[in-house]
Each structure stands twice: as C-alpha cells, then as structure tokens.
Amino acid sequence: MTAFAFIGRAFGLSEGSAGGETLGGALGRAWRPTHRHRKGGLYRLVGQGVYEPDRSPVAIYDDRDGTIWIRPLDEFNDGRFDPV
C-alpha cells in the first residue's frame, strides 16, 4: 500500500470515491494555511486520521511545499499550532 493510499484510508478519503471529497481533492485545493506553528511555519490542516498500530488519532497537515506531515492529534492541539 502506498503512503497516499494509507493516508486516504486513515481519514476516509480515497482516489475517485463517489459522493465525497477525495484525498486528491483535499490536497489539490488552492493552498491556504489554517495554522501557524509556534516556531513560525504555516501549515494547512488536511484532516484527521487514525494511526493503525494503536488506533490513536492523528492530525494530517501539509506545508506550502507539499510535504505531508502527521502528528498525534493531542500534540497538534496542545498549543504548538494556532489557527490563522
């Protein structure tokens, strides 16, 4: 399974799924930051997912360069990131 497929399955999106937004659609929208990291970087929260080994929730986000980041949801919401 590719990382793209894993991420898509993690938060209920898939390439070409009928009736809902796909991961490709979520990542393909015009990039606008939703959060600023405390160190200054800008990021867009793409969605939430589940880390398969322990079923813990994760935040899936990207940066302007297209790098996809995954972090435990608790860390994303602990004050490291502020909405813009």
Side-chain angles (χ1 to χ4, degrees):
M1 175 184 307
T2 67
F4 186 85
F6 175 78
I7 292 168
R9 286 179 50 181
F11 62 101
L13 301 176
S14 62
E15 274 303 309
S17 64
E21 183 169 41
T22 65
L23 179 59
L27 294 175
R29 288 192 301 256
W31 194 89
R32 278 187 229 135
T34 60
H35 291 78
R36 180 184 309 274
H37 190 272
R38 66 179 176 208
K39 293 181 180 177
L42 293 172
Y43 299 92
R44 173 181 65 166
L45 181 62
V46 175
Q48 295 181 16
V50 175
Y51 182 58
E52 190 272 330
D54 65 6
R55 308 293 291 163
S56 61
V58 296
I60 302 169
Y61 57 103
D62 65 358
D63 61 23
R64 184 173 296 280
D65 296 329
T67 302
I68 298 171
W69 301 87
I70 299 173
R71 173 185 297 264
L73 191 58
D74 288 345
E75 285 184 14
F76 193 85
N77 292 323
D78 71 0
R80 297 170 205 231
F81 294 86
D82 290 317
V84 293

